[in-house]
PDB file of all heavy atoms in Angstrom:
ATOM      1  N   ALA A1425       0.831  -1.205   0.000  1.00  0.00           N
ATOM      2  CA  ALA A1425       0.000   0.000   0.000  1.00  0.00           C
ATOM      3  C   ALA A1425       0.864   1.253   0.000  1.00  0.00           C
ATOM      4  O   ALA A1425       0.567   2.237  -0.700  1.00  0.00           O
ATOM      5  CB  ALA A1425      -0.928  -0.006   1.218  1.00  0.00           C
ATOM      6  N   LEU A1426       1.955   1.235   0.765  1.00  0.00           N
ATOM      7  CA  LEU A1426       2.857   2.391   0.799  1.00  0.00           C
ATOM      8  C   LEU A1426       3.551   2.600  -0.537  1.00  0.00           C
ATOM      9  O   LEU A1426       3.757   3.747  -0.962  1.00  0.00           O
ATOM     10  CB  LEU A1426       3.899   2.216   1.906  1.00  0.00           C
ATOM     11  CG  LEU A1426       3.410   2.444   3.339  1.00  0.00           C
ATOM     12  CD1 LEU A1426       4.502   2.093   4.335  1.00  0.00           C
ATOM     13  CD2 LEU A1426       2.969   3.897   3.535  1.00  0.00           C
ATOM     14  N   LEU A1427       3.920   1.521  -1.200  1.00  0.00           N
ATOM     15  CA  LEU A1427       4.573   1.635  -2.503  1.00  0.00           C
ATOM     16  C   LEU A1427       3.642   2.297  -3.515  1.00  0.00           C
ATOM     17  O   LEU A1427       4.046   3.213  -4.251  1.00  0.00           O
ATOM     18  CB  LEU A1427       5.013   0.266  -2.999  1.00  0.00           C
ATOM     19  CG  LEU A1427       5.730   0.232  -4.349  1.00  0.00           C
ATOM     20  CD1 LEU A1427       7.010   1.058  -4.298  1.00  0.00           C
ATOM     21  CD2 LEU A1427       6.036  -1.204  -4.755  1.00  0.00           C
ATOM     22  N   VAL A1428       2.391   1.859  -3.547  1.00  0.00           N
ATOM     23  CA  VAL A1428       1.412   2.459  -4.457  1.00  0.00           C
ATOM     24  C   VAL A1428       1.206   3.931  -4.110  1.00  0.00           C
ATOM     25  O   VAL A1428       1.176   4.800  -4.997  1.00  0.00           O
ATOM     26  CB  VAL A1428       0.079   1.692  -4.395  1.00  0.00           C
ATOM     27  CG1 VAL A1428      -1.005   2.431  -5.179  1.00  0.00           C
ATOM     28  CG2 VAL A1428       0.254   0.276  -4.933  1.00  0.00           C
ATOM     29  N   LEU A1429       1.066   4.221  -2.819  1.00  0.00           N
ATOM     30  CA  LEU A1429       0.856   5.605  -2.386  1.00  0.00           C
ATOM     31  C   LEU A1429       2.035   6.481  -2.787  1.00  0.00           C
ATOM     32  O   LEU A1429       1.855   7.602  -3.296  1.00  0.00           O
ATOM     33  CB  LEU A1429       0.667   5.639  -0.870  1.00  0.00           C
ATOM     34  CG  LEU A1429       0.393   7.014  -0.253  1.00  0.00           C
ATOM     35  CD1 LEU A1429      -0.964   7.553  -0.697  1.00  0.00           C
ATOM     36  CD2 LEU A1429       0.448   6.932   1.279  1.00  0.00           C
ATOM     37  N   ALA A1430       3.261   5.993  -2.583  1.00  0.00           N
ATOM     38  CA  ALA A1430       4.445   6.777  -2.908  1.00  0.00           C
ATOM     39  C   ALA A1430       4.533   7.049  -4.408  1.00  0.00           C
ATOM     40  O   ALA A1430       4.885   8.159  -4.831  1.00  0.00           O
ATOM     41  CB  ALA A1430       5.700   6.062  -2.413  1.00  0.00           C
ATOM     42  N   VAL A1431       4.229   6.045  -5.230  1.00  0.00           N
ATOM     43  CA  VAL A1431       4.251   6.249  -6.680  1.00  0.00           C
ATOM     44  C   VAL A1431       3.248   7.331  -7.076  1.00  0.00           C
ATOM     45  O   VAL A1431       3.544   8.214  -7.895  1.00  0.00           O
ATOM     46  CB  VAL A1431       3.947   4.924  -7.413  1.00  0.00           C
ATOM     47  CG1 VAL A1431       3.694   5.180  -8.891  1.00  0.00           C
ATOM     48  CG2 VAL A1431       5.102   3.946  -7.238  1.00  0.00           C
ATOM     49  N   LEU A1432       2.059   7.291  -6.482  1.00  0.00           N
ATOM     50  CA  LEU A1432       1.044   8.301  -6.789  1.00  0.00           C
ATOM     51  C   LEU A1432       1.512   9.699  -6.397  1.00  0.00           C
ATOM     52  O   LEU A1432       1.231  10.682  -7.100  1.00  0.00           O
ATOM     53  CB  LEU A1432      -0.261   7.968  -6.063  1.00  0.00           C
ATOM     54  CG  LEU A1432      -1.009   6.720  -6.555  1.00  0.00           C
ATOM     55  CD1 LEU A1432      -2.209   6.431  -5.652  1.00  0.00           C
ATOM     56  CD2 LEU A1432      -1.465   6.897  -7.994  1.00  0.00           C
ATOM     57  N   PHE A1433       2.232   9.805  -5.299  1.00  0.00           N
ATOM     58  CA  PHE A1433       2.695  11.119  -4.832  1.00  0.00           C
ATOM     59  C   PHE A1433       3.906  11.621  -5.616  1.00  0.00           C
ATOM     60  O   PHE A1433       4.047  12.827  -5.818  1.00  0.00           O
ATOM     61  CB  PHE A1433       3.042  11.062  -3.341  1.00  0.00           C
ATOM     62  CG  PHE A1433       1.912  11.479  -2.444  1.00  0.00           C
ATOM     63  CD1 PHE A1433       1.085  10.541  -1.864  1.00  0.00           C
ATOM     64  CD2 PHE A1433       1.659  12.820  -2.190  1.00  0.00           C
ATOM     65  CE1 PHE A1433       0.041  10.911  -1.039  1.00  0.00           C
ATOM     66  CE2 PHE A1433       0.617  13.214  -1.379  1.00  0.00           C
ATOM     67  CZ  PHE A1433      -0.201  12.252  -0.799  1.00  0.00           C
ATOM     68  N   PHE A1434       4.777  10.728  -6.065  1.00  0.00           N
ATOM     69  CA  PHE A1434       6.046  11.169  -6.642  1.00  0.00           C
ATOM     70  C   PHE A1434       6.042  11.256  -8.166  1.00  0.00           C
ATOM     71  O   PHE A1434       6.879  11.953  -8.738  1.00  0.00           O
ATOM     72  CB  PHE A1434       7.182  10.231  -6.205  1.00  0.00           C
ATOM     73  CG  PHE A1434       7.377  10.159  -4.718  1.00  0.00           C
ATOM     74  CD1 PHE A1434       7.831   8.996  -4.113  1.00  0.00           C
ATOM     75  CD2 PHE A1434       7.088  11.255  -3.918  1.00  0.00           C
ATOM     76  CE1 PHE A1434       8.010   8.923  -2.741  1.00  0.00           C
ATOM     77  CE2 PHE A1434       7.254  11.183  -2.535  1.00  0.00           C
ATOM     78  CZ  PHE A1434       7.717  10.021  -1.952  1.00  0.00           C
ATOM     79  N   LEU A1435       5.135  10.575  -8.823  1.00  0.00           N
ATOM     80  CA  LEU A1435       5.190  10.502 -10.278  1.00  0.00           C
ATOM     81  C   LEU A1435       4.714  11.758 -11.005  1.00  0.00           C
ATOM     82  O   LEU A1435       5.323  12.149 -12.006  1.00  0.00           O
ATOM     83  CB  LEU A1435       4.394   9.290 -10.763  1.00  0.00           C
ATOM     84  CG  LEU A1435       4.734   8.774 -12.163  1.00  0.00           C
ATOM     85  CD1 LEU A1435       6.219   8.439 -12.274  1.00  0.00           C
ATOM     86  CD2 LEU A1435       3.874   7.554 -12.502  1.00  0.00           C
ATOM     87  N   PRO A1436       3.642  12.444 -10.571  1.00  0.00           N
ATOM     88  CA  PRO A1436       3.165  13.612 -11.328  1.00  0.00           C
ATOM     89  C   PRO A1436       4.258  14.668 -11.512  1.00  0.00           C
ATOM     90  O   PRO A1436       4.948  15.041 -10.562  1.00  0.00           O
ATOM     91  CB  PRO A1436       2.019  14.156 -10.473  1.00  0.00           C
ATOM     92  CG  PRO A1436       1.511  12.966  -9.725  1.00  0.00           C
ATOM     93  CD  PRO A1436       2.735  12.149  -9.431  1.00  0.00           C
ATOM     94  N   GLY A1437       4.407  15.133 -12.742  1.00  0.00           N
ATOM     95  CA  GLY A1437       5.378  16.178 -13.044  1.00  0.00           C
ATOM     96  C   GLY A1437       6.763  15.691 -13.372  1.00  0.00           C
ATOM     97  O   GLY A1437       7.610  16.488 -13.807  1.00  0.00           O
ATOM     98  N   LEU A1438       7.026  14.401 -13.203  1.00  0.00           N
ATOM     99  CA  LEU A1438       8.380  13.895 -13.421  1.00  0.00           C
ATOM    100  C   LEU A1438       8.885  14.216 -14.818  1.00  0.00           C
ATOM    101  O   LEU A1438      10.027  14.667 -14.993  1.00  0.00           O
ATOM    102  CB  LEU A1438       8.413  12.381 -13.185  1.00  0.00           C
ATOM    103  CG  LEU A1438       9.753  11.700 -13.480  1.00  0.00           C
ATOM    104  CD1 LEU A1438      10.810  12.127 -12.479  1.00  0.00           C
ATOM    105  CD2 LEU A1438       9.585  10.180 -13.477  1.00  0.00           C
ATOM    106  N   THR A1439       8.056  13.994 -15.820  1.00  0.00           N
ATOM    107  CA  THR A1439       8.477  14.214 -17.201  1.00  0.00           C
ATOM    108  C   THR A1439       8.067  15.576 -17.740  1.00  0.00           C
ATOM    109  O   THR A1439       8.601  16.015 -18.757  1.00  0.00           O
ATOM    110  CB  THR A1439       7.890  13.130 -18.110  1.00  0.00           C
ATOM    111  OG1 THR A1439       6.456  13.183 -18.046  1.00  0.00           O
ATOM    112  CG2 THR A1439       8.339  11.742 -17.664  1.00  0.00           C
ATOM    113  N   GLN A1440       7.118  16.258 -17.074  1.00  0.00           N
ATOM    114  CA  GLN A1440       6.604  17.516 -17.619  1.00  0.00           C
ATOM    115  C   GLN A1440       7.436  18.738 -17.221  1.00  0.00           C
ATOM    116  O   GLN A1440       7.519  19.704 -17.982  1.00  0.00           O
ATOM    117  CB  GLN A1440       5.153  17.756 -17.159  1.00  0.00           C
ATOM    118  CG  GLN A1440       4.164  16.697 -17.643  1.00  0.00           C
ATOM    119  CD  GLN A1440       3.861  15.691 -16.545  1.00  0.00           C
ATOM    120  OE1 GLN A1440       4.769  15.189 -15.902  1.00  0.00           O
ATOM    121  NE2 GLN A1440       2.588  15.430 -16.335  1.00  0.00           N
ATOM    122  N   VAL A1441       8.007  18.725 -16.030  1.00  0.00           N
ATOM    123  CA  VAL A1441       8.693  19.915 -15.510  1.00  0.00           C
ATOM    124  C   VAL A1441      10.126  19.956 -16.044  1.00  0.00           C
ATOM    125  O   VAL A1441      10.887  18.989 -15.880  1.00  0.00           O
ATOM    126  CB  VAL A1441       8.692  19.925 -13.977  1.00  0.00           C
ATOM    127  CG1 VAL A1441       9.486  21.115 -13.440  1.00  0.00           C
ATOM    128  CG2 VAL A1441       7.253  19.980 -13.449  1.00  0.00           C
ATOM    129  N   PRO A1442      10.546  21.061 -16.688  1.00  0.00           N
ATOM    130  CA  PRO A1442      11.926  21.176 -17.202  1.00  0.00           C
ATOM    131  C   PRO A1442      12.948  21.211 -16.071  1.00  0.00           C
ATOM    132  O   PRO A1442      12.585  21.278 -14.887  1.00  0.00           O
ATOM    133  CB  PRO A1442      11.891  22.516 -17.966  1.00  0.00           C
ATOM    134  CG  PRO A1442      10.446  22.807 -18.206  1.00  0.00           C
ATOM    135  CD  PRO A1442       9.711  22.220 -17.050  1.00  0.00           C
ATOM    136  N   PRO A1443      14.237  21.178 -16.413  1.00  0.00           N
ATOM    137  CA  PRO A1443      15.275  21.256 -15.377  1.00  0.00           C
ATOM    138  C   PRO A1443      15.122  22.509 -14.527  1.00  0.00           C
ATOM    139  O   PRO A1443      14.914  23.609 -15.038  1.00  0.00           O
ATOM    140  CB  PRO A1443      16.581  21.304 -16.189  1.00  0.00           C
ATOM    141  CG  PRO A1443      16.236  20.701 -17.501  1.00  0.00           C
ATOM    142  CD  PRO A1443      14.808  21.048 -17.764  1.00  0.00           C
ATOM    143  N   LEU A1444      15.237  22.324 -13.229  1.00  0.00           N
ATOM    144  CA  LEU A1444      15.056  23.426 -12.277  1.00  0.00           C
ATOM    145  C   LEU A1444      16.415  23.946 -11.828  1.00  0.00           C
ATOM    146  O   LEU A1444      17.180  23.234 -11.174  1.00  0.00           O
ATOM    147  CB  LEU A1444      14.251  22.951 -11.063  1.00  0.00           C
ATOM    148  CG  LEU A1444      12.735  22.900 -11.255  1.00  0.00           C
ATOM    149  CD1 LEU A1444      12.089  22.025 -10.189  1.00  0.00           C
ATOM    150  CD2 LEU A1444      12.143  24.299 -11.194  1.00  0.00           C
ATOM    151  N   ASP A1445      16.712  25.186 -12.194  1.00  0.00           N
ATOM    152  CA  ASP A1445      17.990  25.774 -11.808  1.00  0.00           C
ATOM    153  C   ASP A1445      18.056  26.016 -10.299  1.00  0.00           C
ATOM    154  O   ASP A1445      17.060  26.308  -9.670  1.00  0.00           O
ATOM    155  CB  ASP A1445      18.170  27.111 -12.538  1.00  0.00           C
ATOM    156  CG  ASP A1445      18.607  26.928 -13.988  1.00  0.00           C
ATOM    157  OD1 ASP A1445      19.562  26.178 -14.215  1.00  0.00           O
ATOM    158  OD2 ASP A1445      17.969  27.517 -14.872  1.00  0.00           O
ATOM    159  N   ARG A1446      19.290  25.957  -9.731  1.00  0.00           N
ATOM    160  CA  ARG A1446      20.495  25.703 -10.496  1.00  0.00           C
ATOM    161  C   ARG A1446      21.120  24.337 -10.171  1.00  0.00           C
ATOM    162  O   ARG A1446      21.847  23.780 -10.971  1.00  0.00           O
ATOM    163  CB  ARG A1446      21.553  26.798 -10.187  1.00  0.00           C
ATOM    164  CG  ARG A1446      21.209  28.150 -10.781  1.00  0.00           C
ATOM    165  CD  ARG A1446      22.326  29.166 -10.524  1.00  0.00           C
ATOM    166  NE  ARG A1446      22.125  30.407 -11.237  1.00  0.00           N
ATOM    167  CZ  ARG A1446      22.032  31.584 -10.621  1.00  0.00           C
ATOM    168  NH1 ARG A1446      22.131  31.647  -9.294  1.00  0.00           N
ATOM    169  NH2 ARG A1446      21.844  32.677 -11.326  1.00  0.00           N
ATOM    170  N   ASP A1447      20.857  23.809  -9.002  1.00  0.00           N
ATOM    171  CA  ASP A1447      21.563  22.595  -8.586  1.00  0.00           C
ATOM    172  C   ASP A1447      21.233  21.392  -9.466  1.00  0.00           C
ATOM    173  O   ASP A1447      22.133  20.635  -9.845  1.00  0.00           O
ATOM    174  CB  ASP A1447      21.249  22.279  -7.124  1.00  0.00           C
ATOM    175  CG  ASP A1447      22.172  23.004  -6.167  1.00  0.00           C
ATOM    176  OD1 ASP A1447      23.102  23.664  -6.652  1.00  0.00           O
ATOM    177  OD2 ASP A1447      21.962  22.916  -4.951  1.00  0.00           O
ATOM    178  N   GLU A1448      19.956  21.193  -9.774  1.00  0.00           N
ATOM    179  CA  GLU A1448      19.590  19.993 -10.528  1.00  0.00           C
ATOM    180  C   GLU A1448      20.341  19.879 -11.854  1.00  0.00           C
ATOM    181  O   GLU A1448      20.965  18.838 -12.124  1.00  0.00           O
ATOM    182  CB  GLU A1448      18.084  19.937 -10.769  1.00  0.00           C
ATOM    183  CG  GLU A1448      17.713  18.682 -11.557  1.00  0.00           C
ATOM    184  CD  GLU A1448      16.256  18.617 -11.945  1.00  0.00           C
ATOM    185  OE1 GLU A1448      15.678  19.665 -12.299  1.00  0.00           O
ATOM    186  OE2 GLU A1448      15.696  17.504 -11.899  1.00  0.00           O
ATOM    187  N   PRO A1449      20.320  20.897 -12.721  1.00  0.00           N
ATOM    188  CA  PRO A1449      21.043  20.734 -13.983  1.00  0.00           C
ATOM    189  C   PRO A1449      22.556  20.652 -13.812  1.00  0.00           C
ATOM    190  O   PRO A1449      23.245  20.093 -14.687  1.00  0.00           O
ATOM    191  CB  PRO A1449      20.631  21.966 -14.795  1.00  0.00           C
ATOM    192  CG  PRO A1449      20.126  22.948 -13.806  1.00  0.00           C
ATOM    193  CD  PRO A1449      19.544  22.148 -12.688  1.00  0.00           C
ATOM    194  N   ARG A1450      23.088  21.185 -12.736  1.00  0.00           N
ATOM    195  CA  ARG A1450      24.530  21.004 -12.492  1.00  0.00           C
ATOM    196  C   ARG A1450      24.848  19.531 -12.269  1.00  0.00           C
ATOM    197  O   ARG A1450      25.814  18.993 -12.826  1.00  0.00           O
ATOM    198  CB  ARG A1450      24.969  21.832 -11.284  1.00  0.00           C
ATOM    199  CG  ARG A1450      25.065  23.329 -11.549  1.00  0.00           C
ATOM    200  CD  ARG A1450      25.277  24.084 -10.260  1.00  0.00           C
ATOM    201  NE  ARG A1450      25.465  25.512 -10.481  1.00  0.00           N
ATOM    202  CZ  ARG A1450      25.330  26.436  -9.528  1.00  0.00           C
ATOM    203  NH1 ARG A1450      25.016  26.076  -8.290  1.00  0.00           N
ATOM    204  NH2 ARG A1450      25.519  27.709  -9.794  1.00  0.00           N
ATOM    205  N   PHE A1451      24.041  18.869 -11.428  1.00  0.00           N
ATOM    206  CA  PHE A1451      24.238  17.432 -11.213  1.00  0.00           C
ATOM    207  C   PHE A1451      24.031  16.666 -12.520  1.00  0.00           C
ATOM    208  O   PHE A1451      24.835  15.806 -12.887  1.00  0.00           O
ATOM    209  CB  PHE A1451      23.262  16.922 -10.151  1.00  0.00           C
ATOM    210  CG  PHE A1451      23.693  17.176  -8.743  1.00  0.00           C
ATOM    211  CD1 PHE A1451      23.169  18.227  -8.010  1.00  0.00           C
ATOM    212  CD2 PHE A1451      24.627  16.363  -8.131  1.00  0.00           C
ATOM    213  CE1 PHE A1451      23.551  18.467  -6.704  1.00  0.00           C
ATOM    214  CE2 PHE A1451      25.034  16.586  -6.820  1.00  0.00           C
ATOM    215  CZ  PHE A1451      24.495  17.648  -6.106  1.00  0.00           C
ATOM    216  N   ALA A1452      22.930  16.961 -13.218  1.00  0.00           N
ATOM    217  CA  ALA A1452      22.606  16.220 -14.437  1.00  0.00           C
ATOM    218  C   ALA A1452      23.656  16.436 -15.518  1.00  0.00           C
ATOM    219  O   ALA A1452      24.037  15.491 -16.230  1.00  0.00           O
ATOM    220  CB  ALA A1452      21.226  16.639 -14.939  1.00  0.00           C
ATOM    221  N   GLN A1453      24.138  17.660 -15.668  1.00  0.00           N
ATOM    222  CA  GLN A1453      25.144  17.944 -16.688  1.00  0.00           C
ATOM    223  C   GLN A1453      26.452  17.221 -16.390  1.00  0.00           C
ATOM    224  O   GLN A1453      27.100  16.683 -17.305  1.00  0.00           O
ATOM    225  CB  GLN A1453      25.393  19.447 -16.789  1.00  0.00           C
ATOM    226  CG  GLN A1453      26.482  19.864 -17.761  1.00  0.00           C
ATOM    227  CD  GLN A1453      26.184  19.454 -19.198  1.00  0.00           C
ATOM    228  OE1 GLN A1453      25.027  19.370 -19.591  1.00  0.00           O
ATOM    229  NE2 GLN A1453      27.221  19.193 -19.975  1.00  0.00           N
ATOM    230  N   ALA A1454      26.848  17.190 -15.119  1.00  0.00           N
ATOM    231  CA  ALA A1454      28.076  16.471 -14.762  1.00  0.00           C
ATOM    232  C   ALA A1454      27.931  14.977 -15.053  1.00  0.00           C
ATOM    233  O   ALA A1454      28.865  14.334 -15.547  1.00  0.00           O
ATOM    234  CB  ALA A1454      28.410  16.700 -13.297  1.00  0.00           C
ATOM    235  N   SER A1455      26.762  14.415 -14.766  1.00  0.00           N
ATOM    236  CA  SER A1455      26.524  13.005 -15.086  1.00  0.00           C
ATOM    237  C   SER A1455      26.511  12.794 -16.597  1.00  0.00           C
ATOM    238  O   SER A1455      27.022  11.782 -17.100  1.00  0.00           O
ATOM    239  CB  SER A1455      25.191  12.549 -14.478  1.00  0.00           C
ATOM    240  OG  SER A1455      25.195  12.686 -13.073  1.00  0.00           O
ATOM    241  N   LYS A1456      25.912  13.728 -17.301  1.00  0.00           N
ATOM    242  CA  LYS A1456      25.875  13.660 -18.765  1.00  0.00           C
ATOM    243  C   LYS A1456      27.294  13.612 -19.338  1.00  0.00           C
ATOM    244  O   LYS A1456      27.587  12.833 -20.261  1.00  0.00           O
ATOM    245  CB  LYS A1456      25.119  14.878 -19.299  1.00  0.00           C
ATOM    246  CG  LYS A1456      25.001  14.981 -20.794  1.00  0.00           C
ATOM    247  CD  LYS A1456      24.216  16.241 -21.160  1.00  0.00           C
ATOM    248  CE  LYS A1456      23.995  16.386 -22.634  1.00  0.00           C
ATOM    249  NZ  LYS A1456      23.187  17.594 -22.958  1.00  0.00           N
ATOM    250  N   GLN A1457      28.190  14.424 -18.778  1.00  0.00           N
ATOM    251  CA  GLN A1457      29.569  14.443 -19.277  1.00  0.00           C
ATOM    252  C   GLN A1457      30.314  13.158 -18.922  1.00  0.00           C
ATOM    253  O   GLN A1457      31.213  12.746 -19.656  1.00  0.00           O
ATOM    254  CB  GLN A1457      30.307  15.671 -18.732  1.00  0.00           C
ATOM    255  CG  GLN A1457      29.795  16.960 -19.347  1.00  0.00           C
ATOM    256  CD  GLN A1457      30.495  18.205 -18.845  1.00  0.00           C
ATOM    257  OE1 GLN A1457      29.862  19.235 -18.653  1.00  0.00           O
ATOM    258  NE2 GLN A1457      31.796  18.145 -18.645  1.00  0.00           N
ATOM    259  N   MET A1458      29.943  12.523 -17.807  1.00  0.00           N
ATOM    260  CA  MET A1458      30.533  11.217 -17.501  1.00  0.00           C
ATOM    261  C   MET A1458      30.187  10.217 -18.602  1.00  0.00           C
ATOM    262  O   MET A1458      31.030   9.442 -19.052  1.00  0.00           O
ATOM    263  CB  MET A1458      30.029  10.703 -16.150  1.00  0.00           C
ATOM    264  CG  MET A1458      30.711  11.298 -14.952  1.00  0.00           C
ATOM    265  SD  MET A1458      30.253  10.428 -13.439  1.00  0.00           S
ATOM    266  CE  MET A1458      31.416  11.178 -12.290  1.00  0.00           C
ATOM    267  N   VAL A1459      28.919  10.235 -19.017  1.00  0.00           N
ATOM    268  CA  VAL A1459      28.486   9.312 -20.066  1.00  0.00           C
ATOM    269  C   VAL A1459      29.182   9.647 -21.385  1.00  0.00           C
ATOM    270  O   VAL A1459      29.588   8.753 -22.135  1.00  0.00           O
ATOM    271  CB  VAL A1459      26.952   9.367 -20.224  1.00  0.00           C
ATOM    272  CG1 VAL A1459      26.489   8.498 -21.387  1.00  0.00           C
ATOM    273  CG2 VAL A1459      26.266   8.924 -18.927  1.00  0.00           C
ATOM    274  N   GLU A1460      29.327  10.935 -21.670  1.00  0.00           N
ATOM    275  CA  GLU A1460      29.955  11.356 -22.931  1.00  0.00           C
ATOM    276  C   GLU A1460      31.433  11.012 -22.973  1.00  0.00           C
ATOM    277  O   GLU A1460      31.947  10.540 -23.987  1.00  0.00           O
ATOM    278  CB  GLU A1460      29.772  12.866 -23.122  1.00  0.00           C
ATOM    279  CG  GLU A1460      28.342  13.294 -23.407  1.00  0.00           C
ATOM    280  CD  GLU A1460      28.180  14.795 -23.419  1.00  0.00           C
ATOM    281  OE1 GLU A1460      29.015  15.502 -22.797  1.00  0.00           O
ATOM    282  OE2 GLU A1460      27.207  15.282 -24.030  1.00  0.00           O
ATOM    283  N   THR A1461      32.137  11.259 -21.873  1.00  0.00           N
ATOM    284  CA  THR A1461      33.594  11.088 -21.864  1.00  0.00           C
ATOM    285  C   THR A1461      34.037   9.715 -21.393  1.00  0.00           C
ATOM    286  O   THR A1461      35.207   9.364 -21.559  1.00  0.00           O
ATOM    287  CB  THR A1461      34.240  12.147 -20.943  1.00  0.00           C
ATOM    288  OG1 THR A1461      33.800  11.919 -19.589  1.00  0.00           O
ATOM    289  CG2 THR A1461      33.852  13.554 -21.377  1.00  0.00           C
ATOM    290  N   ARG A1462      33.124   8.967 -20.735  1.00  0.00           N
ATOM    291  CA  ARG A1462      33.435   7.677 -20.117  1.00  0.00           C
ATOM    292  C   ARG A1462      34.445   7.815 -18.993  1.00  0.00           C
ATOM    293  O   ARG A1462      35.086   6.833 -18.591  1.00  0.00           O
ATOM    294  CB  ARG A1462      33.947   6.650 -21.150  1.00  0.00           C
ATOM    295  CG  ARG A1462      33.198   6.606 -22.478  1.00  0.00           C
ATOM    296  CD  ARG A1462      31.710   6.464 -22.317  1.00  0.00           C
ATOM    297  NE  ARG A1462      31.328   5.150 -21.813  1.00  0.00           N
ATOM    298  CZ  ARG A1462      30.069   4.795 -21.533  1.00  0.00           C
ATOM    299  NH1 ARG A1462      29.092   5.684 -21.691  1.00  0.00           N
ATOM    300  NH2 ARG A1462      29.782   3.604 -21.069  1.00  0.00           N
TER     301      ARG A1462
END
């Protein structure tokens, strides 16, 4: 029941909301460069 409840609470907006400045895209960009550069 908690798993279902948590999914309902956390899923909305996951794909709709763009990157939120500034910390989130800093983390994501650094990870992106790890994938690019290996």
Side-chain angles (χ1 to χ4, degrees):
L1426 284 174
L1427 181 61
V1428 172
L1429 182 67
V1431 169
L1432 291 174
F1433 266 97
F1434 300 149
L1435 201 56
L1438 176 68
T1439 60
Q1440 297 100 313
V1441 176
L1444 279 162
D1445 281 310
R1446 288 184 172 121
D1447 274 355
E1448 180 185 39
R1450 286 171 176 162
F1451 279 101
Q1453 177 61 30
S1455 300
K1456 179 180 183 178
Q1457 290 180 218
M1458 280 190 171
V1459 175
E1460 290 173 337
T1461 64
R1462 317 308 290 177

